[in-house]
Amino acid sequence: MKGYETYLAEVLIEEDALQSRIDELAVAVSADYAGSDLLLICILRGGVMFLTDLMRRLTIPHAIDFMAVSSYGSGARQSGGSVRISLDLTASIENRNVLLVEDIIDSGNTIASVLELLKTRKPRSLKVCALLDKASRREVDVPIDYRGFTIPDKFVFGYGLDLDEYYRNLPFIGVVRPESVSGFD
Ligand code: IMP
Ligand code: MG
């Protein structure tokens, strides 16, 4: 793997902008869930960076759990529309206030399937916190209760989001240079 610079067209969201928006989201979540038992559910792997930065800023007690789903095969850039649960939660969510933490909502298929599944487990409340919203690509209507940024229809990477599993560690969101990845698909 080459350095990320090979694949970077432009930085879409700088580290400072990400961090200050996450500050704002954490203030809102802390206020809305004050006095109630909060469970953050992170969808692996893309949501990890966002989860850890968000939870560090929450001023209320909360627990975390993880689940993994797949809708994109490595190398593919289109959502298949169907989602597979590859890692389930460790604990029951019955009667708990669940906030799903996602990196990006694109077609909406992933989060719609996850919401449908989790609803059957009878949480007290179920909301969505997404860092990025590629709104113009939406195929299914999904409620986004906390939204970091609405972004254009471009393939992005960094800050949890991968380019074929690499570069999740970058502290910013970058746009992929399409000609640089033509060999990937
Ligand atoms: P959806 O089911 O189409 O909403 O897809 C959501 C998932 O697709 C996200 O959780 C990401 O893993 C992946 N995804 C969508 N757009 C991008 C992108 O621009 N960069 C990296 N991953 C993406
Ligand atoms: Mg993801």
Side-chain angles (χ1 to χ4, degrees):
M1 263 297 168
K2 298 170 187 157
Y4 73 85
E5 297 89 343
T6 311
Y7 306 106
L8 183 68
E10 56 168 322
V11 174
L12 185 66
I13 309 172
E14 299 276 4
E15 180 175 4
D16 285 359
L18 277 175
Q19 294 298 330
S20 51
R21 184 69 186 122
I22 296 168
D23 273 339
E24 294 172 353
L25 293 173
V27 167
V29 171
S30 298
D32 294 352
Y33 289 90
S36 54
D37 170 48
L38 173 63
L39 173 64
L40 301 176
I41 294 181
C42 175
I43 304 184
L44 296 173
R45 290 174 291 260
V48 163
M49 300 277 269
F50 180 37
L51 172 81
T52 55
D53 278 343
L54 181 72
M55 66 186 285
R56 260 185 282 241
R57 291 168 165 86
L58 293 181
T59 55
I60 54 166
H62 58 276
I64 62 171
D65 204 346
F66 296 91
M67 68 189 298
V69 298
S70 45
S71 60
Y72 275 58
S74 181
R77 313 244 175 275
Q78 296 297 312
S79 178
S82 66
V83 162
R84 195 171 56 86
I85 304 277
S86 44
L87 176 77
D88 208 340
L89 301 170
T90 53
S92 165
I93 59 167
E94 190 171 344
N95 221 16
R96 306 202 66 183
N97 297 298
V98 172
L99 182 60
L100 273 179
V101 177
E102 246 293 46
D103 52 353
I104 185 166
I105 299 182
D106 185 11
S107 70
N109 286 309
T110 306
I111 205 81
S113 305
V114 170
L115 285 171
E116 202 177 306
L117 172 82
L118 294 184
K119 268 180 202 155
T120 66
R121 300 183 184 180
K122 305 200 165 44
R124 185 180 306 162
S125 66
L126 181 58
K127 292 191 172 182
V128 175
C129 178
L131 181 64
L132 305 176
D133 178 10
K134 241 190 237 181
S136 63
R137 298 249 311 164
R138 200 61 32 82
E139 290 168 14
V140 219
D141 228 7
V142 285
I144 305 179
D145 302 280
Y146 304 92
R147 177 188 289 99
F149 300 86
T150 300
I151 63 165
D153 179 13
K154 290 180 174 169
F155 200 83
V156 293
F157 70 123
Y159 199 74
L161 294 121
D162 68 302
L163 184 54
D164 291 344
E165 295 303 328
Y166 288 83
Y167 314 119
R168 294 187 193 271
N169 59 306
L170 299 176
F172 54 82
I173 301 284
V175 176
V176 175
R177 213 151 49 81
E179 65 275 21
S180 71
V181 293
S182 52
F184 278 35
D185 292 321

